[in-house]
Amino acid sequence: VNYFDQQYPLPQEDAFGIHIEAAPAPYGENENYHLVRVGIQGYDVPAAERPDALLIFVIDVSGSMDAENRLGLVKESLHRLTENLKPTDQIGIVTYGSAAEIVLAPTYVVADRQIHAAIDGLYPNGSTNVEHGLMLAYQLADQFAVDGNINRLMVASDGVANVGQTTADAILSHARDGIQLSTFGFGMGNYNDVLMEQLADQGDGTYAYIDTLDEADRVFGDELLSTIFTIAKDTKIQVEFNANVVERYRLIGYENRDVADSDFRNDSVDAGEIGAGHSVTALYEVRFAEEANPNEAALTVRVRYEDPEMGEVVEIAETMATRDVHGSFTAASPTFQLSANVAEYAEIMRQSFWAQGGNIDVVADDVRRIANMMPENYDVQEFAGLVAQAASLMR
């Protein structure tokens, strides 16, 4: 769901805007259920106004990366990332296989030939000592980091760790305050999605999977600011349902990012980082009480985060009543309808308990209808093709 642009308007005052939309659920137990989309949109920053960046590329060059869609794609992706940076940004390169080494000390992007040559010189070799690679990268970043600038490690790997410490907790024992860690996954087959996501979560960074150059262009081009520039730290989102209005609810997805209700205002609990212009979307399936007051708040959405510049914790909130719910699913916004179908498709593909009666052909037909409403959106058109292909394979 969060892969797609939800087209939320940018906030005009606070760091975030809260967007709530609801309509009858097209899928689910019965017609008494509604779908609620909760969206959080962060403010954007003009590229020229962002601080200078120190980016340390931490690159897996182990034997498992010896493929064009692994190390070959990593190299092409990093070339493109370099071309999208400012001349005053710096890039360093640390590689790890059986051991780690500094391939390039932090170098200003104005000397891009030296950076491109270092990237071109990467080759696969040995086993996978992620811990040693990150230890060396944190040490390097610590020497060159500047307060107030972007200081970030960017790990490119298939996530396979087989030498040294191999758990996220142990690997990140070398982390430094003020230096964020983002991970970018490459490859298929023995790809370890879990480790890559855990490293990013615990390293106060972001995680993305890159399987094509088009995806590299999206992450390191169109979404570069969101990828490297944090506008909010330890961001928590809490949705509080009014028992007088909502009889039942369930959160769709996010199983591994749940924060206990009691920890919402506990600022020592680690939570997610949000990049410039980034949005976060969550979907809830709910059942409203039949006799509920349509003017009474059905739910309250709260966002709590730390301003990375001021160090202050801020909390904002918005509510929604049942009078604000669309009368039909097709009356909702196209992006809401898309999100509902993306979620149902995912539930069917992972054979979720909640999609036991799901019909992939019905989803494929509805996604095609929505794609016709968004003819210029390449991601939606591609998704429609993927669902159609899945439907044909499952018949």
Side-chain angles (χ1 to χ4, degrees):
V1 170
N2 281 280
Y3 177 90
F4 296 92
D5 180 7
Q6 301 290 332
Q7 300 177 11
Y8 302 129
L10 293 172
Q12 299 301 308
E13 297 178 3
D14 296 312
F16 292 102
I18 300 175
H19 304 278
I20 312 171
E21 187 174 8
Y27 309 107
E29 229 176 288
N30 55 54
E31 66 277 3
N32 295 325
Y33 283 83
H34 284 72
L35 192 69
V36 177
R37 179 180 67 167
V38 175
I40 310 300
Q41 175 65 57
Y43 74 88
D44 209 354
V45 176
E49 296 181 12
R50 74 157 169 84
D52 288 340
L54 168 66
L55 304 180
I56 307 294
F57 298 158
V58 189
I59 305 171
D60 181 353
V61 294
S62 63
S64 66
M65 292 291 289
D66 188 11
E68 277 305 304
N69 69 346
R70 295 197 179 199
L71 188 57
L73 184 56
V74 168
K75 292 162 71 170
E76 286 298 324
S77 300
L78 296 184
H79 281 312
R80 298 193 181 202
L81 172 57
T82 301
E83 291 165 0
N84 289 323
L85 295 174
K86 300 193 297 186
T88 50
D89 294 331
Q90 294 183 79
I91 288 177
I93 299 177
V94 171
T95 60
Y96 64 90
S98 299
E101 66 172 311
I102 298 172
V103 172
L104 181 72
T107 301
Y108 285 104
V109 173
V110 69
D112 58 345
R113 288 187 180 180
Q114 186 177 354
I115 296 170
H116 288 304
I119 295 171
D120 283 333
L122 301 175
Y123 62 92
N125 179 40
S127 50
T128 316
N129 195 332
V130 182
E131 181 195 16
H132 192 196
L134 281 177
M135 179 180 69
L136 193 59
Y138 274 119
Q139 291 173 353
L140 185 62
D142 210 23
Q143 295 175 38
F144 288 86
V146 175
D147 288 342
N149 282 2
I150 298 167
N151 303 297
R152 186 179 295 266
L153 308 187
M154 305 184 74
V155 178
S157 173
D158 58 13
V160 177
N162 53 27
V163 176
Q165 299 289 346
T166 59
T167 67
D169 285 339
I171 291 170
L172 289 176
S173 62
H174 307 287
R176 305 284 206 279
D177 289 339
I179 299 172
Q180 296 177 312
L181 170 71
S182 290
T183 59
F184 304 91
F186 293 80
M188 297 186 72
N190 64 337
Y191 176 69
N192 187 346
D193 182 80
V194 174
L195 178 61
M196 297 297 282
E197 184 179 6
Q198 288 178 346
L199 287 173
D201 288 348
Q202 298 176 36
D204 293 336
T206 55
Y207 164 59
Y209 177 73
I210 297 173
D211 59 347
T212 65
L213 282 177
D214 285 342
E215 187 64 14
D217 285 336
R218 185 179 76 89
V219 173
F220 296 139
D222 299 340
E223 300 178 359
L224 178 62
L225 268 177
S226 177
T227 300
I228 68 172
F229 184 40
T230 298
I231 62 169
K233 297 172 60 179
D234 288 330
T235 306
K236 303 188 189 94
I237 303 169
Q238 184 178 68
V239 181
E240 180 181 331
F241 291 95
N242 182 348
N244 294 330
V245 182
V246 177
E247 292 182 345
R248 296 178 63 186
Y249 69 88
R250 77 174 178 99
L251 173 63
I252 302 174
Y254 280 101
E255 290 89 348
N256 62 344
R257 296 308 304 270
D258 191 25
V259 175
D261 292 346
S262 58
D263 285 334
F264 178 70
R265 293 192 174 92
N266 181 353
D267 298 325
S268 66
V269 173
D270 186 54
E273 275 56 47
I274 304 294
H278 189 66
S279 68
V280 177
T281 297
L283 297 177
Y284 288 86
E285 189 177 63
V286 306
R287 187 168 72 187
F288 296 120
E290 292 184 9
E291 305 301 323
N293 181 347
N295 298 312
E296 187 175 355
L299 59 102
T300 301
V301 179
R302 294 186 176 88
V303 180
R304 188 176 177 87
Y305 63 94
E306 178 185 327
D307 184 306
E309 291 186 9
M310 306 298 293
E312 297 177 351
V313 175
V314 180
E315 184 174 323
I316 59 175
E318 291 285 346
T319 63
M320 188 203 76
T322 55
R323 66 169 184 266
D324 302 315
V325 176
H326 294 293
S328 67
F329 176 68
T330 54
S333 66
T335 55
F336 178 98
Q337 296 178 52
L338 174 68
S339 295
N341 278 281
V342 171
E344 179 67 6
Y345 171 71
E347 294 276 66
I348 291 173
M349 294 302 288
R350 71 185 208 170
Q351 298 180 325
S352 166
F353 167 83
W354 303 102
Q356 293 181 76
N359 187 320
I360 190 68
D361 290 310
V362 172
V363 176
D365 288 343
D366 210 32
V367 170
R368 175 50 58 193
R369 176 185 63 81
I370 296 165
N372 289 338
M373 298 164 58
M374 309 169 74
E376 304 301 320
N377 192 315
Y378 172 80
D379 291 336
V380 176
Q381 301 302 316
E382 183 182 31
F383 178 63
L386 289 173
V387 179
Q389 184 178 14
S392 68
L393 291 172
M394 295 171 69
R395 290 190 185 110

